[in-house]
Amino acid sequence: MCRFVVYKGTSPVELSHLLTRPCHSIINQAFDSRLRLDRRRPMNGDGFGVGWYDSVYDEESYQPCIFTSITPAWNNVNLVRLAEKIKSPLVFGHVRATTAGSLSLDNCHPFVHGRLMFMHNGGIADFPLVKRKLQADLPDVAFNKVQGNTDSEWAFALFMSKLPDPSAKSFTTAMLRDAMFKTIASLNEYAEEAGITEPSLMNFCVTDGETVIATRYISSKTDEAASLWFSSGTTFSEFGGGGHYKMSKADKRENIIMVASEPLTFERADWMEIKTNNMVVVTPKMNLLQIPIVDKFYTPPSDPASLTRTTEFAREKGLLVPRNMEAMEGEELES
C-alpha cells in the first residue's frame, strides 16, 4: 500500500511545505504511515515520485515535470534540495510500497502521458488473471506508453483508452471524470469474467494540470477502502515551529485544496474523510465535488450498512482498517 498527496492552489506552493516540512509530510509517511491498511510495520520505502506543473501556464507546452527515485524518500538529499527551490500550483507526491512490479524507476509513480499525470494507492486483485484481457482492449497509443510492469501503470493505460484523445492539448472536467468511471467499471468487468472474488483497492488520482480527479474505491459492498482525506482553505502555513501546519479559512473561497492518503497535520478540523466508493473532483475554478461511484458495490448513505462496513477482508489479509484520526495521534487500534 502506497501513500500519496495532491496539492492544487490558486498560487504556487513551495514543494517543501508538502513533502518535507510538515510533521506528517509525505516523506514521514514513507516510514511512519499511521492509516495504512497493511498490518505490517508501515514502510513505504520502495521508491518515490514527485510531479508538478510550471507556474506559468502555456497550453502548447503545459506538461508535468517528474522526479522519481528508487531510494527511500527519507534518504534522498536531492528531493530535499529540490523541494526547497521549486514552486508549483499543482503537485503530486507519491511514496511506494511494492505490491506488484519490481523496484525500478519505470515503476515509480506518478506516470505521465502528454499533459496527464496519474498515480495509484492500492492494488488490482489477481492482476495476472486480467492483464492479457486489459492489454488486448488497449489502443496502440496506450499500450505502447507502458514502460514498467505494475498494475498501476496498466490501469493508467486503461484510463487513457477511455479518453477521446489521450494526447490532446486540453480536456474537459467531464472527459476526465467519465474516463475514470469507465476505468473502474472495466476493471470490475475483467475481474468478474475471470472469476476473481478478492476485492481490488482503486484509489486513483489523475490530473491534466487543471482538473483533479481522485477516487476512494474498493470492489466490495462490505469492506472499507484504503484511506483518503481532503482539506481546503485559504492558507496552509506552519505555526509554532516543529513542522506543525494548519489550514486556515479567511473567507468562503477555496484557494487551496489538498487530497491525501493521510492528513499532513494533526488538526482534526482541517481534514474531512472521503467516503468509501466516492470520487472527488477538483475543477479548474477550485470547486470541490464529491460524487458517488454508483455500481453493484455502492452502499448509499441511507443504508445503515454504509456506516458499518466490515473488516472481514482486512482481517483475512492481516490488515487494519482505521476509521478515524485516532491512529494519526499515536493511539493503538484494536484488531
Side-chain angles (χ1 to χ4, degrees), residues 77-128:
V77 67
N78 286 330
L79 176 60
V80 176
R81 291 168 176 165
L82 289 171
E84 296 289 340
K85 300 298 181 182
I86 296 172
K87 293 183 178 182
S88 172
L90 205 162
V91 182
F92 274 19
H94 187 281
V95 290
R96 185 172 180 241
T98 303
T99 56
S102 59
L103 183 62
S104 73
L105 285 175
D106 287 337
N107 289 333
C108 290
H109 310 219
F111 306 107
V112 173
H113 176 77
R115 61 182 296 157
L116 297 171
M117 188 161 55
F118 181 98
M119 57 187 177
H120 175 208
N121 171 32
I124 309 303
D126 292 321
F127 184 65

Coordinates of all heavy atoms in Angstrom, one line a residue, residues 77-128:
V77 N 18.7 13.2 -0.6 CA 19.1 14.6 -0.3 C 18.6 15.5 -1.5 O 18.3 16.6 -1.3 CB 20.6 14.7 -0.1 CG1 21.4 14.4 -1.3 CG2 20.9 16.1 0.4
N78 N 18.6 14.9 -2.7 CA 18.2 15.7 -3.9 C 16.7 16.1 -3.8 O 16.3 17.2 -4.2 CB 18.4 15.0 -5.2 CG 19.9 14.9 -5.5 OD1 20.7 15.8 -5.2 ND2 20.3 13.8 -6.2
L79 N 15.9 15.2 -3.2 CA 14.5 15.6 -3.0 C 14.4 16.8 -2.1 O 13.6 17.7 -2.3 CB 13.7 14.4 -2.5 CG 12.2 14.6 -2.1 CD1 11.5 15.1 -3.3 CD2 11.6 13.4 -1.5
V80 N 15.1 16.8 -1.0 CA 15.1 17.9 0.0 C 15.5 19.2 -0.7 O 14.9 20.2 -0.5 CB 16.0 17.5 1.2 CG1 16.0 18.7 2.1 CG2 15.4 16.3 1.9
R81 N 16.6 19.1 -1.5 CA 17.1 20.3 -2.2 C 16.1 20.8 -3.2 O 15.9 22.1 -3.2 CB 18.4 19.9 -2.9 CG 19.6 19.6 -1.9 CD 20.8 19.0 -2.7 NE 21.9 18.8 -1.9 CZ 23.0 18.0 -2.2 NH1 23.0 17.4 -3.4 NH2 24.0 17.9 -1.4
L82 N 15.5 20.0 -4.0 CA 14.6 20.4 -5.0 C 13.3 21.0 -4.3 O 12.8 22.0 -4.8 CB 14.2 19.3 -5.9 CG 15.2 18.8 -6.9 CD1 14.8 17.5 -7.6 CD2 15.5 19.9 -7.9
A83 N 12.9 20.4 -3.2 CA 11.7 20.8 -2.6 C 11.8 22.2 -2.0 O 10.8 22.9 -1.9 CB 11.3 19.8 -1.4
E84 N 13.0 22.6 -1.7 CA 13.2 24.0 -1.1 C 13.3 25.0 -2.2 O 13.3 26.2 -1.9 CB 14.5 24.0 -0.3 CG 14.6 23.1 0.9 CD 13.7 23.6 2.0 OE1 13.4 24.9 2.0 OE2 13.3 22.9 2.9
K85 N 13.4 24.6 -3.5 CA 13.5 25.6 -4.6 C 12.4 25.7 -5.5 O 12.2 26.7 -6.2 CB 14.8 25.2 -5.3 CG 16.1 25.3 -4.5 CD 16.4 26.7 -4.0 CE 17.7 26.7 -3.2 NZ 17.9 28.0 -2.6
I86 N 11.6 24.6 -5.6 CA 10.5 24.5 -6.7 C 9.2 24.9 -6.1 O 8.8 24.6 -5.0 CB 10.4 23.1 -7.2 CG1 11.7 22.7 -8.0 CG2 9.3 22.9 -8.2 CD1 11.8 21.3 -8.4
K87 N 8.5 25.7 -6.9 CA 7.1 26.1 -6.5 C 6.2 25.8 -7.7 O 6.5 25.9 -8.8 CB 7.0 27.6 -6.3 CG 7.8 28.1 -5.0 CD 7.6 29.6 -4.8 CE 8.3 30.1 -3.5 NZ 8.1 31.5 -3.3
S88 N 5.0 25.3 -7.3 CA 4.0 24.9 -8.3 C 2.6 25.1 -7.8 O 2.4 24.9 -6.6 CB 4.3 23.5 -8.8 OG 3.2 23.0 -9.6
P89 N 1.6 25.4 -8.7 CA 0.2 25.4 -8.2 C -0.5 24.1 -8.2 O -1.6 24.0 -7.7 CB -0.4 26.4 -9.3 CG 0.4 26.1 -10.5 CD 1.8 25.9 -10.0
L90 N 0.2 23.0 -8.8 CA -0.4 21.7 -8.8 C 0.7 20.7 -8.6 O 1.6 20.6 -9.5 CB -1.2 21.4 -10.1 CG -2.3 20.4 -9.9 CD1 -3.3 20.5 -11.1 CD2 -1.8 19.0 -9.9
V91 N 0.6 19.9 -7.5 CA 1.7 19.0 -7.2 C 1.1 17.6 -6.9 O 0.1 17.5 -6.2 CB 2.5 19.5 -5.9 CG1 3.6 18.5 -5.6 CG2 3.0 20.9 -6.2
F92 N 1.8 16.5 -7.4 CA 1.5 15.2 -7.0 C 2.8 14.6 -6.2 O 3.9 14.8 -6.7 CB 1.3 14.3 -8.2 CG -0.1 14.2 -8.7 CD1 -1.0 15.2 -8.4 CD2 -0.5 13.2 -9.5 CE1 -2.3 15.1 -8.9 CE2 -1.8 13.1 -10.0 CZ -2.7 14.1 -9.7
G93 N 2.6 14.0 -5.1 CA 3.6 13.3 -4.4 C 3.2 11.9 -4.1 O 2.1 11.6 -3.7
H94 N 4.2 10.9 -4.2 CA 3.8 9.5 -4.0 C 5.0 8.8 -3.5 O 6.1 8.9 -3.9 CB 3.5 8.9 -5.4 CG 2.9 7.5 -5.4 ND1 3.8 6.4 -5.2 CD2 1.7 7.0 -5.4 CE1 3.0 5.3 -5.2 NE2 1.8 5.6 -5.4
V95 N 4.8 8.0 -2.4 CA 5.8 7.1 -1.9 C 5.2 5.7 -2.0 O 4.1 5.4 -1.8 CB 6.1 7.4 -0.4 CG1 6.9 8.7 -0.3 CG2 4.9 7.4 0.5
R96 N 6.1 4.8 -2.4 CA 5.7 3.5 -2.9 C 6.0 2.3 -2.0 O 7.1 2.3 -1.4 CB 6.4 3.2 -4.3 CG 5.9 1.9 -5.0 CD 6.5 1.8 -6.4 NE 6.0 0.6 -7.0 CZ 6.8 -0.4 -7.4 NH1 8.1 -0.3 -7.4 NH2 6.3 -1.5 -8.0
A97 N 5.1 1.4 -1.8 CA 5.3 0.1 -1.1 C 4.9 -0.9 -2.2 O 3.7 -1.0 -2.6 CB 4.5 0.0 0.1
T98 N 5.8 -1.7 -2.6 CA 5.5 -2.6 -3.7 C 4.5 -3.6 -3.4 O 4.5 -4.4 -2.4 CB 6.8 -3.3 -4.1 OG1 7.8 -2.4 -4.4 CG2 6.6 -4.2 -5.3
T99 N 3.5 -3.7 -4.3 CA 2.5 -4.8 -4.3 C 2.6 -5.6 -5.6 O 2.2 -6.8 -5.6 CB 1.1 -4.3 -4.1 OG1 0.8 -3.3 -5.1 CG2 0.9 -3.6 -2.7
A100 N 3.0 -4.9 -6.7 CA 3.1 -5.6 -8.0 C 4.2 -4.8 -8.7 O 4.3 -3.6 -8.6 CB 1.8 -5.6 -8.7
G101 N 5.1 -5.6 -9.4 CA 6.1 -4.9 -10.2 C 7.4 -4.8 -9.4 O 7.4 -4.8 -8.1
S102 N 8.5 -4.8 -10.1 CA 9.8 -4.7 -9.5 C 10.2 -3.3 -9.0 O 9.5 -2.4 -9.3 CB 10.9 -5.2 -10.5 OG 10.9 -4.4 -11.6
L103 N 11.3 -3.3 -8.3 CA 11.8 -2.0 -7.8 C 12.7 -1.4 -8.9 O 13.8 -1.8 -9.2 CB 12.7 -2.2 -6.6 CG 13.3 -1.0 -5.9 CD1 12.2 -0.1 -5.4 CD2 14.2 -1.4 -4.8
S104 N 12.1 -0.4 -9.6 CA 12.7 0.2 -10.7 C 12.1 1.6 -10.9 O 11.0 1.9 -10.5 CB 12.6 -0.6 -12.0 OG 11.3 -0.5 -12.5
L105 N 12.9 2.5 -11.6 CA 12.4 3.8 -11.9 C 11.1 3.8 -12.7 O 10.2 4.6 -12.6 CB 13.4 4.7 -12.6 CG 14.6 5.2 -11.8 CD1 15.6 5.9 -12.6 CD2 14.1 6.1 -10.7
D106 N 11.0 2.8 -13.7 CA 9.8 2.7 -14.5 C 8.6 2.4 -13.7 O 7.5 2.7 -14.2 CB 10.0 1.6 -15.6 CG 11.0 2.0 -16.6 OD1 11.2 3.2 -16.9 OD2 11.6 1.1 -17.3
N107 N 8.7 1.9 -12.5 CA 7.5 1.6 -11.7 C 7.2 2.6 -10.7 O 6.2 2.4 -9.9 CB 7.8 0.2 -11.1 CG 7.7 -0.9 -12.1 OD1 7.1 -0.9 -13.1 ND2 8.4 -2.0 -11.7
C108 N 7.9 3.7 -10.6 CA 7.6 4.8 -9.7 C 6.6 5.7 -10.2 O 6.6 6.1 -11.4 CB 8.9 5.6 -9.4 SG 10.2 4.6 -8.4
H109 N 5.6 6.0 -9.4 CA 4.5 7.0 -9.7 C 5.1 8.4 -9.5 O 6.0 8.6 -8.7 CB 3.3 6.7 -8.8 CG 2.8 5.3 -8.7 ND1 1.5 5.0 -8.7 CD2 3.5 4.2 -8.6 CE1 1.4 3.7 -8.5 NE2 2.6 3.2 -8.5
P110 N 4.5 9.4 -10.0 CA 3.3 9.3 -11.0 C 3.8 9.0 -12.4 O 4.9 9.2 -12.8 CB 2.8 10.8 -10.9 CG 3.9 11.6 -10.5 CD 4.8 10.8 -9.6
F111 N 2.8 8.5 -13.1 CA 3.0 8.1 -14.5 C 2.5 9.3 -15.4 O 1.5 10.0 -15.0 CB 2.3 6.8 -14.9 CG 2.7 5.7 -14.0 CD1 1.8 5.2 -13.1 CD2 3.9 5.1 -14.1 CE1 2.2 4.2 -12.2 CE2 4.3 4.0 -13.3 CZ 3.4 3.6 -12.3
V112 N 3.1 9.5 -16.5 CA 2.8 10.7 -17.3 C 2.6 10.3 -18.8 O 3.2 9.4 -19.3 CB 3.9 11.7 -17.2 CG1 3.7 12.9 -18.2 CG2 4.1 12.2 -15.8
H113 N 1.6 11.0 -19.4 CA 1.4 11.0 -20.9 C 0.9 12.3 -21.3 O -0.1 12.8 -20.9 CB 0.5 9.9 -21.3 CG 0.2 9.9 -22.8 ND1 1.1 9.4 -23.7 CD2 -0.8 10.5 -23.6 CE1 0.7 9.6 -24.9 NE2 -0.5 10.2 -24.9
G114 N 1.7 13.0 -22.1 CA 1.3 14.4 -22.5 C 1.2 15.3 -21.3 O 2.1 15.4 -20.5
R115 N 0.0 15.9 -21.2 CA -0.2 16.7 -20.0 C -0.9 16.0 -18.9 O -1.3 16.6 -17.8 CB -1.1 17.9 -20.4 CG -2.4 17.7 -21.0 CD -3.1 19.0 -21.4 NE -3.3 19.9 -20.2 CZ -3.4 21.2 -20.3 NH1 -3.3 21.8 -21.5 NH2 -3.6 21.9 -19.2
L116 N -1.1 14.7 -19.0 CA -1.8 13.9 -18.0 C -0.8 13.3 -17.0 O 0.4 12.9 -17.3 CB -2.5 12.7 -18.6 CG -3.7 13.0 -19.5 CD1 -4.2 11.8 -20.2 CD2 -4.8 13.7 -18.7
M117 N -1.2 13.3 -15.7 CA -0.4 12.7 -14.7 C -1.3 11.8 -13.8 O -2.4 12.2 -13.5 CB 0.3 13.8 -13.8 CG 1.3 13.4 -12.8 SD 2.4 14.7 -12.3 CE 1.3 16.0 -11.7
F118 N -0.8 10.6 -13.4 CA -1.6 9.6 -12.8 C -0.9 8.9 -11.7 O 0.3 8.6 -11.8 CB -2.1 8.6 -13.9 CG -3.0 7.5 -13.4 CD1 -4.3 7.5 -13.6 CD2 -2.4 6.3 -12.8 CE1 -5.2 6.5 -13.2 CE2 -3.3 5.3 -12.4 CZ -4.6 5.4 -12.6
M119 N -1.5 8.6 -10.6 CA -0.9 7.8 -9.5 C -2.0 6.9 -8.9 O -3.2 7.2 -9.0 CB -0.1 8.6 -8.5 CG -0.9 9.7 -7.8 SD 0.2 10.7 -6.8 CE -0.9 11.9 -6.2
H120 N -1.6 5.9 -8.1 CA -2.5 4.9 -7.6 C -2.0 4.5 -6.2 O -0.8 4.3 -6.0 CB -2.5 3.7 -8.5 CG -3.3 2.5 -8.1 ND1 -3.0 1.2 -8.4 CD2 -4.4 2.4 -7.2 CE1 -3.8 0.4 -7.9 NE2 -4.7 1.1 -7.2
N121 N -2.9 4.3 -5.3 CA -2.7 3.6 -4.0 C -3.6 2.5 -3.9 O -4.8 2.6 -3.9 CB -2.9 4.6 -2.8 CG -2.9 3.9 -1.5 OD1 -2.2 2.9 -1.3 ND2 -3.7 4.4 -0.5
G122 N -3.1 1.3 -3.8 CA -3.9 0.1 -3.7 C -3.4 -1.1 -4.6 O -2.2 -1.2 -4.7
G123 N -4.2 -1.9 -5.1 CA -3.8 -3.0 -5.9 C -5.0 -3.6 -6.6 O -6.1 -3.7 -6.1
I124 N -4.7 -4.1 -7.9 CA -5.7 -4.8 -8.6 C -5.6 -6.3 -8.3 O -4.6 -6.9 -8.5 CB -5.5 -4.6 -10.2 CG1 -5.4 -3.1 -10.5 CG2 -6.7 -5.2 -10.9 CD1 -6.5 -2.3 -10.1
A125 N -6.6 -6.8 -7.7 CA -6.6 -8.2 -7.2 C -6.3 -9.2 -8.3 O -6.9 -9.1 -9.4 CB -7.9 -8.6 -6.5
D126 N -5.4 -10.2 -8.1 CA -5.1 -11.2 -9.1 C -4.9 -10.6 -10.5 O -5.4 -11.1 -11.5 CB -6.3 -12.2 -9.1 CG -6.4 -13.1 -7.8 OD1 -5.3 -13.4 -7.3 OD2 -7.5 -13.3 -7.4
F127 N -4.1 -9.6 -10.5 CA -3.9 -8.9 -11.8 C -3.4 -9.7 -12.9 O -3.9 -9.5 -14.1 CB -2.9 -7.7 -11.6 CG -2.7 -6.8 -12.8 CD1 -3.8 -6.1 -13.3 CD2 -1.5 -6.8 -13.4 CE1 -3.6 -5.3 -14.4 CE2 -1.3 -6.0 -14.6 CZ -2.4 -5.3 -15.1
P128 N -2.6 -10.7 -12.7 CA -2.1 -11.6 -13.9 C -3.3 -12.2 -14.6 O -3.2 -12.6 -15.8 CB -1.2 -12.6 -13.2 CG -0.6 -11.9 -12.0 CD -1.8 -11.1 -11.5

